[in-house]
């Protein structure tokens, strides 16, 4: 579990759901330092353990036994079980056999006194109805629907209709419904608006997007690896202007708050996009270095950079003089130039001039000069 995803330390959340397969795949690493999962996560609310995982894991008896041991030894408040593979392109009998296997695993958990949120399994509406009947007969009041496959392929009408059936049956027959894998705020707001209005949601897409640099706003996802973003939401307004571009945790908290906004039908914030946003930090603008030529200003440039140590370096064109370069000089200058960038750690924003041509051309010329 990546600590950068622990947004509960920054915002109010009702409960946490931990995927067991992430622990099991790492050679059964357990919470050795913290016997109680609440201590490990620094969270006083309910913490659940999810059985959802790869097909070969969930059909393994050793996975089940370790799941039981892990959930009891580390004081989880509830479990979500039992996950099994069921696919619409399989024979219906095969999917029902797996669903029956899952129901038996749920019975085993209940016999051991483990509080269980049942998973609604199946590959058609009849399967969902039968599965619901069985779970209700065991005294299960809360049920979960695993939505990841349906949402990832929601352009497939059959899969989305299957997801709709599962959620509708869950809502009509159970006291509490959790939809796992449904934290895409745009899905919650649009495609899933009617389906998800009466359920709780769980998932990790907001953190996956944050790790990949994407943040949510009224205009959709914006990639902070390409532009800088300013946001005036309650969380971001207390952060430095470049926080969303520089911090996975800040992006994760921001994205999580947008998921909450979607569930509460509140408007998403407007994000302002800029090429550079670094207030209060030193920025140096440099042009016409003409690296690779006798007229290059590279030595003066290196002297200035080591003195100023700017946070941001903006190269305003003609940094490399590709049409007129001398191979030996370009090799020497490139080593000095990139060595200096590594030394200062400055963020670099290049603007290409007539002598540069393009980033691809620079790379090709450097390869020719250095390795030919």
């Amino acid at each position: 579990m990546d600590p950068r995803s622990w947004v509960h330390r920054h915002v109010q959340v009702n409960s946490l759901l931990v995927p067991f397969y992430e622990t099991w795949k790492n050679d059964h690493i357990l919470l050795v330092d913290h016997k109680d999962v609440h201590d490990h996560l620094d969270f006083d609310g309910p913490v659940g353990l999810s059985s959802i995982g790869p097909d070969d894991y969930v059909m393994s008896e050793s996975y089940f036994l370790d799941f039981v041991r892990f959930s009891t030894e580390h004081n989880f408040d509830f479990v979500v079980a039992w996950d099994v593979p069921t696919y619409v392109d399989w024979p219906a009998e095969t999917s029902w056999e797996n669903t029956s296997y899952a129901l038996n695993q749920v019975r085993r958990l209940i016999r051991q006194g483990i509080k269980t949120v049942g998973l609604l399994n199946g590959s058609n509406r009849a399967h969902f109805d039968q599965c619901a009947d069985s779970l209700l007969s065991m005294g299960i009041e809360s049920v979960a629907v695993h939505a990841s496959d349906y949402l990832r392929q929601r352009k497939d009408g059959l899969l989305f209709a299957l997801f709709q059936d599962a959620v509708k049956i869950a809502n009509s027959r159970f006291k509490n419904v959790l939809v796992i894998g449904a934290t895409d705020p745009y899905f919650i707001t649009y495609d899933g608006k009617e389906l998800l209005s009466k359920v709780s949601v769980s998932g990790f897409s907001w953190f996956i997007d944050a790790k990949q640099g994407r943040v949510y706003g009224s205009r959709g996802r914006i990639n902070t690896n390409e532009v800088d973003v300013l946001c005036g939401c309650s969380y971001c307004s207390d952060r430095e202007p470049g926080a969303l571009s520089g911090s996975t945790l800040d992006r994760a908290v921001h994205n999580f708050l947008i998921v909450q906004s979607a569930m509460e039908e509140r408007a998403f914030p407007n994000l302002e996009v800029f090429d550079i946003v670094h207030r209060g930090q030193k920025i140096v603008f440099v042009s016409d270095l003409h690296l690779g030529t006798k007229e290059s200003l590279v030595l003066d440039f290196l002297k200035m950079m080591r003195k100023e140590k700017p946070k941001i370096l903006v190269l305003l064109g003609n940094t490399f003089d590709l049409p007129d370069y001398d191979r030996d000089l370009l090799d020497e200058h490139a080593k000095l130039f990139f060595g200096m960038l590594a030394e200062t750690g400055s963020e670099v924003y290049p603007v290409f001039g007539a002598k540069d041509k393009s980033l691809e051309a620079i790379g090709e010329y450097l390869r020719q000069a250095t390795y030919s």
Side-chain angles (χ1 to χ4, degrees):
M1 295 175 287
D2 192 326
R4 294 175 298 174
S5 71
W6 296 359
V7 300
H8 58 277
R9 293 180 174 177
H10 305 270
V11 298
Q12 182 67 40
V13 298
N14 295 326
S15 58
L16 301 180
L17 188 60
V18 176
F20 178 61
Y21 84 91
E22 291 282 3
T23 296
W24 202 72
K25 72 180 182 180
N26 292 318
D27 298 323
H28 304 204
I29 296 173
L30 304 184
L31 302 176
V32 176
D33 295 332
H34 297 275
K35 199 71 174 177
D36 191 306
V37 67
H38 303 80
D39 294 337
H40 178 64
L41 297 176
D42 189 22
F43 182 70
D44 293 332
V47 181
L49 185 66
S50 172
S51 66
I52 294 171
D55 292 354
D56 56 336
Y57 285 19
V58 298
M59 299 301 289
S60 162
E61 178 66 9
S62 61
Y63 183 80
F64 177 82
L65 295 176
D66 283 340
F67 179 87
V68 171
R69 179 164 58 91
F70 191 77
S71 65
T72 53
E73 285 184 355
H74 299 293
N75 199 29
F76 282 85
D77 298 287
F78 66 94
V79 301
V80 176
W82 187 257
D83 184 38
V84 287
T86 58
Y87 299 106
V88 292
D89 55 352
W90 281 9
E93 296 80 5
T94 303
S95 289
W96 182 247
E97 285 176 6
N98 285 350
T99 299
S100 298
Y101 172 85
L103 291 169
N104 186 59
Q105 302 295 66
V106 173
R107 292 186 187 94
R108 294 172 67 185
L109 291 167
I110 292 174
R111 283 198 296 267
Q112 296 188 56
I114 297 174
K115 184 177 180 180
T116 303
V117 174
L119 263 173
L120 197 61
N121 290 304
S123 60
N124 56 52
R125 187 179 183 87
H127 286 174
F128 296 144
D129 272 324
Q130 290 177 273
C131 185
D133 286 340
S134 296
L135 292 172
L136 288 167
S137 70
M138 299 180 214
I140 297 290
E141 295 183 340
S142 301
V143 73
V145 175
H146 185 206
S148 294
D149 289 341
Y150 306 118
L151 299 189
R152 189 168 58 248
Q153 305 179 56
R154 60 182 175 268
K155 293 181 180 179
D156 185 309
L158 176 60
L159 288 176
F160 187 67
L162 196 64
F163 171 63
Q164 287 178 305
D165 285 343
V167 176
K168 288 177 180 177
I169 289 172
N171 269 327
S172 66
R173 306 189 65 181
F174 291 89
K175 184 177 180 180
N176 303 298
V177 178
L178 172 66
V179 181
I180 300 174
T183 54
D184 183 318
Y186 306 103
F187 178 81
I188 294 171
T189 303
Y190 301 108
D191 295 349
K193 185 173 183 179
E194 300 302 323
L195 285 173
L196 304 180
S197 61
K198 299 178 181 179
V199 307
S200 298
V201 298
S202 173
F204 223 42
S205 57
W206 50 271
F207 179 62
I208 294 172
D209 279 335
K211 282 211 300 186
Q212 295 174 349
R214 291 188 289 268
V215 293
Y216 303 148
S218 60
R219 295 190 297 169
R221 298 171 181 80
I222 295 178
N223 189 345
T224 61
N225 293 321
E226 298 175 352
V227 294
D228 274 329
V229 176
L230 281 182
C231 174
C233 75
S234 59
Y235 177 78
C236 295
S237 59
D238 292 332
R239 297 295 182 277
E240 293 184 359
L244 289 179
S245 296
S247 167
T248 296
L249 176 60
D250 285 327
R251 288 193 297 271
V253 175
H254 167 92
N255 286 352
F256 188 84
L257 288 170
I258 303 307
V259 175
Q260 288 186 329
S261 295
M263 291 299 297
E264 296 168 4
E265 298 186 355
R266 291 185 282 112
F268 297 171
N270 293 317
L271 303 183
E272 296 183 78
V273 177
F274 300 90
D275 288 332
I276 305 174
V277 175
H278 288 280
R279 294 173 183 165
Q281 297 172 328
K282 185 178 294 185
I283 302 178
V284 166
F285 296 83
V286 175
S287 67
D288 296 291
L289 288 179
H290 294 275
L291 300 179
T293 67
K294 294 180 180 178
E295 294 78 20
S296 174
L297 300 174
V298 64
L299 296 180
D300 291 335
F301 169 71
L302 294 176
K303 182 178 179 181
M304 178 275 298
M305 285 291 291
R306 287 181 176 129
K307 177 182 177 183
E308 299 295 338
K309 295 182 174 61
K311 173 66 176 177
I312 308 296
L313 170 64
V314 181
L315 298 170
L316 295 176
N318 297 339
T319 303
F320 293 86
D321 196 331
L322 300 184
D324 305 316
Y325 80 97
D326 175 276
R327 177 170 295 175
D328 293 334
L329 279 176
L330 183 59
D331 187 16
E332 177 186 342
H333 291 175
K335 290 178 180 177
L336 290 170
F337 178 76
F338 289 111
M340 178 278 304
L341 293 184
E343 176 186 328
T344 61
S346 300
E347 296 179 27
V348 180
Y349 295 80
V351 177
F352 299 114
K355 299 289 187 177
D356 297 314
K357 295 185 178 179
S358 71
L359 186 62
E360 290 77 17
I362 291 172
E364 182 59 32
Y365 274 82
L366 285 174
R367 282 192 293 274
Q368 292 178 4
T370 305
Y371 301 112
S372 298

